[in-house]
Amino acid sequence: MPRIRKCRSVCFEPENRIFYPEKSSEDFVTLTVEETEALRLADFEELEQSDCANIMNISRGTFQRILYNARKKTAMAITQGKGIKIDGGNYMVSDRKCNCEKDCIKCIKKSK
């Protein structure tokens, strides 16, 4: 019997959840909220994987797998002209102070 998945901490839920390619396409790649957070922390915020893992309250190995899947899905969408949809996952919005933006006060805790 597999282990119960640990809830991952994210700083926010994205407001824009669907991105379309220039040419119309009905095919979509789905990124989970935690995959989007992994991309944000590692690639946009340029944090080390161990720091990202601590922020998301997961192991570094788990963070690395999430990031690898997110990058693969994003590359597939870009190179094959597919849309990107952000949906689902096993996460909660963090209730501690974020490391993301200076004007961020506190995150709201939600379970999904």
Side-chain angles (χ1 to χ4, degrees):
M1 182 173 190
R3 194 173 85 173
I4 296 173
R5 283 184 109 178
K6 189 174 180 182
C7 203
R8 287 92 189 251
S9 294
V10 299
C11 185
F12 72 102
E13 293 181 278
E15 290 181 23
N16 297 307
R17 292 181 172 254
I18 298 179
F19 299 89
Y20 295 98
E22 184 177 325
K23 293 185 179 179
S24 180
S25 175
E26 294 182 17
D27 292 337
F28 282 90
V29 172
T30 302
L31 289 175
T32 63
V33 173
E34 59 259 37
E35 288 171 338
T36 306
E37 179 76 345
L39 285 172
R40 184 184 73 80
L41 292 172
D43 297 333
F44 183 70
E45 298 290 339
E46 298 180 337
L47 298 174
E48 297 291 326
Q49 286 189 6
S50 57
D51 295 331
C52 298
N54 287 335
I55 291 169
M56 291 183 69
N57 197 28
I58 54 177
S59 71
R60 191 204 50 80
T62 299
F63 178 82
Q64 188 174 29
R65 283 187 294 280
I66 292 169
L67 182 61
Y68 174 79
N69 287 334
R71 286 177 174 167
K72 185 174 181 177
K73 289 177 182 180
T74 303
M76 181 190 309
I78 291 171
T79 59
Q80 296 180 0
K82 297 181 178 185
I84 298 174
K85 189 183 304 185
I86 301 171
D87 189 33
N90 186 27
Y91 68 96
M92 68 177 179
V93 179
S94 178
D95 62 350
R96 61 187 162 133
K97 191 165 177 132
C98 297
N99 295 339
C100 55
E101 297 178 18
K102 294 176 184 172
D103 62 341
C104 185
I105 299 167
K106 280 210 171 206
C107 296
I108 301 167
K109 186 175 181 178
K110 288 184 182 175
S111 287
K112 289 280 179 181

